[in-house]
Amino acid sequence: MTAYAHHSPQRAAGLTTVVRARLNRPPPPLPRADGALWKAAAAILLVAAAATGYALYGHRLAAAPVTQHQPARVGQVSLLVPQDLAGAEHEDSERVVGMTRLRLDWPSFGPVTAQSRRKLLVTLSPPDKVNEPATQLSVYARFLTPTVWSNPGGLVVRGFRKGSPYEGDELYVSVPDGRGFAARCPVNTGPAPLDELCRVTFRHRGLDVNIRFPRAVIADWELMVGGVRRTIDGMMR
């Protein structure tokens, strides 16, 4: 037997082992070009999704209402009043030249909507001496009864004498002297055309501010007065 014949079976077995090892190797990773292709495909899908979203909802964003403003002048003060706070013209048949009226939702101080449970009716007018806190309190003092009782919100309550101009009202004042807040509310709140039967007037930055509000919010008088002041500040020009 020749040497070739003697070694041929071993050689064949070695070749078989090499072939099997190569077949069992894991496939090589994708080349970089394939990775870029996947990224490009993902980017195309994102753009398509964004385009679909804009087609569905973009018109809603474009149609979102823009708040209109109307200029106003009260005494020496110039204002730019959001129309949705001033209310529609047909809702204010008693509009007075030189005065501005606002309708604010409570407690957001935003526009009044069909969902508003309570609202504040605010009138801005030129300053008048009769609305100065000291003057108001001196007028009320002549008609008050001696009885005093406390009320939530840190207020005290006084009644008015029978036969006085304020008969049927109660006076809610802040301590110690009522200069921070002095509001009148009717004692009998039976059927009435308005819910905003309480009223308070104070001075703010050259304006007399009158607020008509529901009795239910009087304990939050500091929040109410502060919110109205900030709303007016935002309209000043």
Side-chain angles (χ1 to χ4, degrees), residues 7-214:
H7 292 290
S8 59
Q10 295 181 356
R11 186 173 183 180
L15 290 173
T16 302
T17 301
V18 171
V19 171
R20 286 179 179 173
R22 290 187 177 180
L23 290 175
N24 291 330
R25 286 181 183 175
L30 291 173
R32 293 184 178 179
D34 290 347
L37 183 61
W38 280 107
K39 291 181 180 178
I44 291 172
L45 290 175
L46 288 175
V47 171
T52 302
Y54 181 80
L56 291 175
Y57 303 104
H59 68 284
R60 298 184 186 179
L61 296 176
V66 177
T67 301
Q68 301 294 326
H69 292 77
Q70 56 189 36
R73 188 168 184 85
V74 180
Q76 301 299 315
V77 180
S78 296
L79 304 170
L80 200 57
V81 183
Q83 199 163 17
D84 56 2
L85 297 185
E89 288 288 342
H90 67 83
E91 295 176 340
D92 191 1
S93 58
E94 299 180 357
R95 191 176 297 274
V96 179
V97 176
M99 301 173 65
T100 294
R101 291 192 171 98
L102 308 174
R103 299 170 71 249
L104 307 178
D105 172 76
W106 171 265
S108 72
F109 301 99
V112 172
T113 67
Q115 288 72 42
S116 297
R117 296 183 57 191
R118 296 189 175 100
K119 60 181 179 290
L120 310 177
L121 306 179
V122 182
T123 301
L124 309 179
S125 59
D128 190 322
K129 292 185 68 174
V130 299
N131 292 324
E132 294 178 354
T135 303
Q136 289 187 74
L137 292 171
S138 65
V139 172
Y140 292 149
R142 296 187 305 216
F143 306 106
L144 291 172
T145 63
T147 306
V148 179
W149 62 98
S150 61
N151 186 78
L155 302 174
V156 295
V157 187
R158 301 284 301 273
F160 288 99
R161 296 197 308 267
K162 292 182 178 180
S164 72
Y166 308 108
E167 180 182 0
D169 282 358
E170 294 173 330
L171 183 66
Y172 291 75
V173 296
S174 59
V175 293
D177 56 10
R179 291 178 180 270
F181 184 80
R184 287 189 293 121
C185 295
V187 176
N188 182 7
T189 57
L194 291 175
D195 292 330
E196 303 76 26
L197 297 177
C198 297
R199 52 192 110 32
V200 62
T201 302
F202 56 90
R203 183 71 49 80
H204 180 66
R205 297 184 64 180
L207 297 171
D208 279 356
V209 183
N210 176 270
I211 309 175
R212 297 186 67 96
F213 59 95

